[in-house]
Amino acid sequence: MRAFLSCFSLKKNKQNPQYQEAIILASETSFTINEIKALYDLFKKLSNCIYDDSLIHKEEFHLALLRNSHKQNLFADRVFDLFDVKGNGVIEFEEFVRSLSIFHPNAPKEDKITFAFRLYDLRQTGYIEHEELKEMVLAILTESELTLSDEEVESIVNKTMMEADSKGDGKIDQEEWKELVEKNPALIKNMTLPYLNGSHFPGT
């Protein structure tokens, strides 16, 4: 996610969203109006780098996140799907801002925990099961260009399931996930991106 934001310079320009829309988004997210204006500049670059339609398609999202529009990655796909709130295959500006707001340093911790849970809940059942956890661990390792043996991956997954599944039903519900994060805050470390704080925007 850090590469996703750092690969573009967020310089302010005159082509910004309507001021009224910026005010609404600022009042309902963790962003200031100036930060939203800067994000609009990023959005315009992302949404027109392949298709000139001011909408972020999955290929454009992959290009920004993975530096490759055709590379398949479950982690990138899951993030895209969660950003695509309307489920219409593209990310609009409002969806972009509201979803990125969760990664803002000032965003509520509860929102970060919930988003992370939804990220791992691949089949959207309200639970994280063993295979889902394993798939996401492998995807995150791939996105981070890290390699572990099958035994090491399985060990990580098994230990996590044993620690988190306090009810012993073979799956992790939202309550158990929250308890796991409270014990291991590093699990949501990547849910906070310093770049989203206006004072850290490159080029501003």
Side-chain angles (χ1 to χ4, degrees), residues 30-92:
S30 298
F31 294 114
T32 65
I33 292 177
N34 285 336
E35 287 170 347
I36 289 171
K37 290 178 179 179
L39 281 176
Y40 185 72
D41 190 46
L42 170 62
F43 179 82
K44 292 295 291 183
K45 291 176 181 178
L46 288 175
S47 62
N48 292 293
C49 63
I50 296 179
Y51 304 101
D52 188 18
D53 60 2
S54 297
L55 297 168
I56 298 178
H57 295 252
K58 184 167 287 190
E59 297 93 327
E60 293 169 321
F61 194 80
H62 277 211
L63 183 62
L65 192 62
L66 306 173
R67 309 296 175 86
N68 186 328
S69 63
H70 300 293
K71 186 177 180 180
Q72 296 300 308
N73 182 277
L74 179 62
F75 172 75
D77 286 344
R78 282 300 295 149
V79 175
F80 180 89
D81 290 343
L82 292 180
F83 273 45
D84 177 20
V85 179
K86 295 181 179 178
N88 57 359
V90 293
I91 300 172
E92 300 172 10

